[in-house]
Amino acid sequence: MAEIRIECEYPYPVATVWRAVTDPELVPRWTATGQGGRPVGYAPVVGTRFQFVGKPVPGWNGVVDCEVLEVEEPSVLRFSWVGGAGEAPTFVTYRLAPHAGGTRFTYEHVGFTGIGGFAMSRILGRVRRKMLTVGLPAVLDAVAGEPRP
């Protein structure tokens, strides 16, 4: 079984990183460095069914069906991920923890099976790494500079 695991450290408090990765208005700003997935119907509430809607490409309609499975604000968000009709779900987990005056963010995507799953994990892994090392830091910089509501 293949999986994706990416750890990043950000020089911002856990609450700031949590906001950037769970606020439906902010998520598309950092996922845009991937396929531009924007959450439709998303809320960080267990049982919420939502979709990530991105740019379609040959062989994929751009829609991922998800369901929030676990929320422990501000440290854990876990949701299912079904990227195509008839596919078995895989599972995404965000883990946030205080670290060295900032936050350690761990992204995990598990449950890929077979040769197709292995290939998909490699493709998604490259995209996620860019989102978390380019897209999310830019959003965090912007959010940290914004006045809090």
Side-chain angles (χ1 to χ4, degrees):
M1 195 176 313
E3 65 180 48
I4 302 166
R5 181 180 169 89
I6 302 167
E7 283 191 9
C8 295
E9 293 175 7
Y10 303 113
Y12 298 101
V14 169
T16 300
V17 179
W18 179 262
R19 179 177 171 221
V21 300
T22 63
D23 182 326
E25 298 297 317
L26 296 176
V27 170
R29 290 171 51 185
W30 61 271
T31 61
T33 54
Q35 285 295 98
R38 67 178 164 32
V40 175
Y42 168 77
V45 175
V46 172
T48 299
R49 293 179 183 272
F50 69 100
Q51 294 180 317
F52 276 113
V53 179
K55 181 180 174 183
V57 295
W60 182 57
N61 68 359
V63 177
V64 176
D65 292 304
C66 303
E67 180 178 354
V68 177
L69 303 172
E70 180 182 1
V71 178
E72 294 176 30
E73 185 177 345
S75 57
V76 177
L77 174 67
R78 182 172 178 262
F79 55 93
S80 63
W81 174 285
V82 178
E87 287 186 8
T90 56
F91 303 93
V92 176
T93 305
Y94 300 166
R95 296 187 192 284
L96 290 75
H99 179 74
T103 301
R104 174 176 285 146
F105 178 79
T106 304
Y107 173 93
E108 296 174 325
H109 193 158
V110 301
F112 299 98
T113 59
I115 191 72
F118 178 80
M120 184 56 67
S121 72
R122 294 294 178 230
I123 293 166
L124 289 176
R126 284 192 298 273
V127 172
R128 296 304 172 267
R129 191 164 307 284
K130 184 177 179 184
M131 287 167 36
L132 297 176
T133 59
V134 177
L136 187 53
V139 170
L140 289 167
D141 290 346
V143 167
E146 293 176 2
R148 298 268 329 176

